[in-house]
């Protein structure tokens, strides 16, 4: 006689399967051992650093931390994997290394011996020399050179700076700096590794940034690839460090540069170009000037790397199709461990006339659905970022729930030129929200969205805009979902990491003490008494970007008013690398909206 069977395990929802699907990044390979790579991938639902052997396909976990690990690189010889060790996601810590292919905990060492800091760039030389940048409130930014366990200070300034690259012959270091006080539009400096003396300086003046990309990967080659915005969008030039000669890189394609890398013979470039929320790959022959399109012509190439054989690896996805690491031929190079993510729906392009020009947005709708639908307006973070036609488990979840989802590339977003990116400086927060409102109103007017069921949601800068929008546009929004937001801007400035202090001074034109009226006007806590919609706030206990104290100040004001609100706290920083935690947060948001949306 057969044994009685217990109840069947509940089926895992499709949305949860997307969050729990394996994740894998683009491998970074060693210059002198190109089959040895480091890559971040999930194992057991936690994002960790792995050694990857491209010849055999072996993927071996290197780190094992409860909070996960997401910052890693590999030395030119492929002997060591380097990873950044912080505390529970607070982004304050030290670089560690361990032998390639080693198991978690094997041979781990702190080879630099520098005090803990926020990372500000790391460059590894063939001889073993390391150039490491770090920042802290006490001193601003420092760059050290470490050789044989001994360190010396190469550069120091109170303002924000970053290590761009070390030349292959270890003569020069390229730095991005904002000694002029504007970290949103940095200058470039090349210094001698030997003594820190300035070799070359590039500054394009107020409001126009210039920054290093990479030195040519051939020892003795004096060329440095540079990104600039002289024509009002991100473009490239090649700088001869010895003579100062500048050679523009002419792409002749619409859009702006989103990333670039030398080919391994230094005769060409791989260039990512953003255009209308798609990121596509091109190859440039620096000798002939010929530009060829490579790889997929739809969706988004999130990252790409040139290989010694002339090929390339790329990480690609679209709103409908989940990400994968592929070769140029389209073959899958590396699959994430575990079950693949279920597909979702494609995006539709929406263009709306706003007060500052045409606003581009991406709309997702449930298959076969007709409006008016409940609408989630998901506002991206950054603000110097933009939404693309790429896979998003978060957006796909709301579509599964019967919602339309729109992502707005408001003024302040990258990908649409320098003037669009910098337009938010006119009135921080309010400028972006005018574009968000214009898109939401358009979708209501065209019958896509139900005006009584509009949800404003976002994380980081998107969380900030959510809280500000609930207070300045209270009649528009039915529910608000704000993850890791800026809620009280003055308190946030006091507690945040030094690099963000510099960013805020650049954004507002000074500190809260210098321009208090601007911070007050743009701070959600100023407008908290006008909030009418139920609001859910998600906060990381160790967040150095949107610290917990300033969120607590805002919540106390809601509590004093008896406003409908809930808080979800988690023990990590500015987000979580754990699938379990990401799923919990999604469940909390779904439950809140189900209970509070009309």
């Amino acid at each position: 006689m057969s044994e009685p069977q217990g109840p069947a395990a509940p089926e895992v929802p499709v949305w949860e399967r997307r969050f729990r699907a394996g994740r894998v990044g683009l491998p970074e390979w060693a210059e002198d051992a190109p089959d040895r790579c480091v890559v971040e991938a999930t194992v057991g639902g936690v994002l960790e650093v792995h050694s990857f052997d491209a010849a055999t396909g072996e993927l071996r976990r290197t780190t094992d931390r409860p909070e996960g690990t997401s910052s890693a690189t590999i030395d030119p010889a492929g002997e060591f994997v380097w990873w950044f060790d912080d505390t529970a996601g607070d982004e304050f810590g030290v670089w560690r290394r361990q032998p390639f292919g080693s198991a978690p905990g094997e041979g781990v060492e702190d080879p630099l011996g520098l005090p803990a800091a926020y990372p500000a760039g790391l460059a590894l030389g063939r001889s073993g020399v390391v150039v490491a940048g770090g920042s802290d409130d006490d001193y601003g930014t420092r760059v050290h050179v470490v050789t044989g366990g001994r360190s010396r200070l190469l550069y120091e300034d109170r303002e924000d700076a970053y290590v761009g690259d070390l030349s292959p012959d270890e003569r020069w270091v390229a730095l991005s700096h904002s000694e002029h006080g504007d970290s949103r539009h940095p200058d470039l400096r090349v210094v001698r590794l030997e003594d820190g003396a300035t070799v070359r300086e590039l500054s394009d003046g107020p409001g126009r940034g210039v920054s290093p990309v990479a030195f040519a990967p051939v020892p003795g080659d004096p060329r440095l690839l540079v990104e600039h915005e002289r024509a009002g969008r991100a473009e490239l030039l090649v700088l001869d460090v010895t003579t100062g000669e500048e050679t523009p890189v002419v792409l002749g394609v619409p859009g702006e540069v989103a990333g670039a890398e030398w080919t391994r013979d230094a005769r060409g470039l791989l260039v990512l170009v953003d255009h209308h929320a798609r990121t596509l790959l091109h190859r440039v022959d620096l000798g002939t000037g010929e530009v060829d399109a490579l790889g997929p012509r739809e969706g988004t190439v999130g990252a790409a790397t040139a290989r010694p054989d002339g090929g390339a690896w790329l990480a690609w996805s679209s709103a409908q199709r989940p990400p994968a690491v592929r070769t140029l031929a389209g073959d899958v190079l590396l699959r994430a461990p575990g079950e693949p993510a279920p597909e979702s729906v494609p995006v539709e392009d929406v263009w709306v006339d706003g007060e500052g020009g045409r606003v581009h947005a991406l709309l997702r709708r449930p298959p076969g659905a007709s409006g008016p639908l409940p609408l989630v307006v998901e506002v991206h973070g950054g603000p110097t970022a933009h939404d693309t036609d790429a896979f998003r488990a978060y957006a796909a979840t709301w579509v599964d729930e019967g919602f339309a989802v729109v992502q707005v590339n408001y003024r302040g977003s990258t990908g649409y030129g320098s003037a669009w990116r910098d337009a938010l400086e006119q009135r921080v927060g309010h400028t972006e929200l005018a574009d968000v409102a214009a898109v939401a109103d358009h979708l209501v007017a065209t019958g896509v969205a139900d005006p009584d069921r509009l949800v404003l949601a976002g994380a980081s800068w998107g969380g900030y805009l959510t809280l500000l929008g609930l207070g300045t546009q209270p009649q528009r929004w039915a529910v608000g979902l704000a993850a890791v937001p800026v809620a009280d801007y003055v308190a946030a400035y006091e507690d945040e990491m030094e690099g963000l202090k510099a960013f805020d001074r650049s954004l507002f034109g000074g500190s809260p003490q210098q321009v208090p009226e601007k911070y007050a006007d743009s701070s959600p806590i100023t407008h908290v008494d006008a909030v009418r919609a139920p609001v859910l706030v998600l906060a990381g206990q160790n967040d150095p970007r949107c610290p917990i104290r300033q969120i607590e100040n805002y919540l106390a004001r809601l509590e004093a008013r008896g406003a409908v609100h809930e808080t979800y706290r988690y023990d990590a920083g500015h987000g979580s690398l754990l699938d379990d935690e990401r799923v919990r947060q999604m469940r909390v948001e779904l439950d809140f909206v189900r209970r509070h949306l009309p």
Side-chain angles (χ1 to χ4, degrees):
M1 189 170 68
S2 62
E3 294 288 333
Q5 299 296 311
E11 184 177 353
V12 177
V14 170
W15 71 262
E16 185 173 336
R17 288 165 53 200
R18 291 195 193 95
F19 276 93
R20 295 192 182 281
R23 291 175 283 157
V24 63
L26 183 73
E28 177 186 345
W29 52 275
E31 290 283 345
D32 299 330
D35 284 336
R36 288 192 166 196
C37 312
V38 62
V39 64
E40 289 121 43
T42 49
V43 56
V46 182
L47 195 66
E48 293 288 2
V49 176
H50 291 66
S51 298
F52 172 57
D53 188 322
T56 65
E58 181 184 12
L59 188 68
R60 185 170 186 182
R61 182 173 58 174
T62 301
T63 58
D64 184 10
R65 303 195 310 153
E67 63 270 40
T69 315
S70 64
S71 295
T73 188
I74 191 167
D75 70 297
E79 295 181 356
F80 293 100
V81 169
W82 290 67
W83 51 274
F84 191 74
D85 186 13
D86 65 357
T87 302
D90 67 359
E91 302 182 46
F92 190 82
V94 299
W95 285 98
R96 303 195 187 280
R97 74 176 187 184
Q98 62 191 93
F100 178 86
S102 59
E106 284 185 359
V108 177
E109 58 182 346
D110 173 7
L112 304 183
L114 298 174
Y118 296 108
L122 182 76
L124 308 177
R126 284 180 165 86
S127 71
V129 64
V130 179
V131 182
S135 68
D136 198 359
D137 287 356
D138 292 339
Y139 51 78
T141 306
R142 288 175 178 167
V143 176
H144 287 86
V145 177
V146 182
T147 308
R150 301 183 65 179
S151 67
R152 61 180 171 86
L153 188 64
L154 182 73
Y155 173 89
E156 180 176 16
D157 196 81
R158 282 298 314 173
E159 293 293 340
D160 196 42
Y162 195 84
V163 176
D165 198 17
L166 170 68
S167 62
D169 56 13
E170 300 177 2
R171 292 177 62 191
W172 305 303
V173 177
L175 302 173
S176 172
H177 73 85
S178 57
E179 293 173 11
H180 56 299
D182 184 1
S183 68
R184 281 169 54 79
H185 306 94
D187 290 346
L188 180 153
R189 179 174 299 157
V190 179
V191 302
R192 280 200 305 259
L193 181 71
E194 179 183 11
D195 56 8
T198 297
V199 175
R200 194 67 55 191
E201 182 92 28
L202 277 186
S203 174
D204 284 346
R208 297 196 298 182
V210 55
S211 56
V213 178
F215 283 102
V218 177
D221 192 325
R223 293 176 298 166
L224 174 68
L225 186 62
V226 174
E227 183 177 307
H228 65 91
E229 49 185 314
R230 295 171 181 175
R233 64 175 186 170
E235 297 181 329
L236 298 169
L237 63 82
V238 175
L239 170 69
D240 187 313
V241 171
T242 56
T243 67
E245 180 184 3
E246 299 176 12
T247 305
V249 178
V250 180
L251 296 177
V253 299
E256 66 180 37
V257 170
E261 182 176 302
W262 293 88
T263 57
R264 306 335 293 168
D265 58 8
R267 296 177 180 176
L269 306 171
L270 287 185
V271 183
L272 294 173
V273 178
D274 284 334
H275 182 58
H276 292 176
R278 278 81 181 174
T279 307
L280 305 180
L281 182 63
H282 301 77
R283 179 188 284 125
V284 181
D285 187 313
L286 292 175
T288 65
E290 184 177 352
V291 179
D292 296 318
L294 300 178
R297 295 293 92 192
E298 59 181 6
T300 292
V301 178
T305 184
R307 292 288 289 164
D309 61 4
W313 295 342
L314 52 93
W316 176 90
S317 75
S318 69
Q320 182 176 12
R321 297 177 60 190
V325 178
R326 302 177 182 273
T327 65
L328 279 179
D331 300 323
V332 174
L333 171 76
L334 182 60
R335 293 188 185 276
E339 180 187 4
E343 291 190 355
S344 185
V345 298
V347 294
E348 307 167 42
D349 291 278
V350 176
W351 291 90
V352 177
D353 289 326
E355 64 179 27
R358 296 264 284 171
V359 184
H360 189 203
L362 301 174
L363 176 67
R364 292 167 165 89
R365 287 192 270 191
S370 59
L373 298 167
L375 175 70
V376 172
V377 181
E378 187 199 357
V379 191
H380 71 72
T384 49
H386 68 283
D387 283 314
T388 61
D389 180 5
F391 197 75
R392 290 270 292 135
Y394 181 85
T397 297
W398 292 111
V399 173
D400 290 350
E401 290 289 306
F403 287 74
V405 179
V406 70
Q407 297 165 301
V408 182
N409 285 331
Y410 50 76
R411 281 170 290 170
S413 303
T414 53
Y416 299 84
S418 302
W420 189 263
R421 181 201 61 206
D422 292 344
L424 83 167
E425 295 174 6
Q426 299 166 14
R427 193 181 178 198
V428 177
H430 301 273
T431 299
E432 304 97 288
L433 286 167
D435 292 344
V436 170
V439 171
D441 291 349
H442 170 80
L443 294 178
V444 168
T446 54
V448 173
D450 182 341
D452 296 323
R453 293 187 291 168
L454 301 183
V455 178
L456 186 58
S460 191
W461 195 262
Y464 157 66
L465 292 177
T466 295
L467 294 185
L468 186 63
L470 295 179
T472 60
Q473 303 169 349
Q475 76 289 347
R476 179 171 276 108
W477 309 110
V479 174
L481 306 171
V484 289
V486 175
D488 175 350
Y489 222 128
V490 174
Y493 181 91
E494 293 169 352
D495 295 351
E496 68 191 5
M497 57 202 300
E498 176 57 34
L500 287 180
K501 285 186 171 72
F503 180 90
D504 286 339
R505 291 192 298 271
S506 300
L507 187 62
F508 286 96
S511 69
Q513 290 72 36
Q514 294 168 317
V515 286
E517 70 287 348
K518 289 188 176 182
Y519 282 84
D521 178 54
S522 295
S523 182
I525 201 168
T526 301
H527 311 278
V528 66
D529 290 341
V531 173
R532 296 292 177 265
V535 56
L536 170 68
V537 177
L538 301 93
Q541 290 290 141
N542 309 310
D543 191 345
R545 298 174 181 268
C546 299
I548 194 69
R549 180 176 70 93
Q550 52 95 25
I551 293 175
E552 291 172 339
N553 293 347
Y554 183 89
L555 294 172
R557 291 283 297 275
L558 288 178
E559 183 69 27
R561 288 180 50 223
V564 179
H565 71 285
E566 294 178 16
T567 311
Y568 177 86
R569 301 170 186 256
Y570 59 94
D571 188 19
H574 200 63
S576 176
L577 304 178
L578 280 61
D579 289 351
D580 282 347
E581 181 55 46
R582 296 165 69 232
V583 167
R584 279 194 293 269
Q585 292 182 26
M586 191 73 248
R587 284 197 184 116
V588 167
E589 292 197 26
L590 288 169
D591 176 67
F592 188 83
V593 170
R594 287 166 181 158
R595 288 186 285 113
H596 293 288
L597 193 69

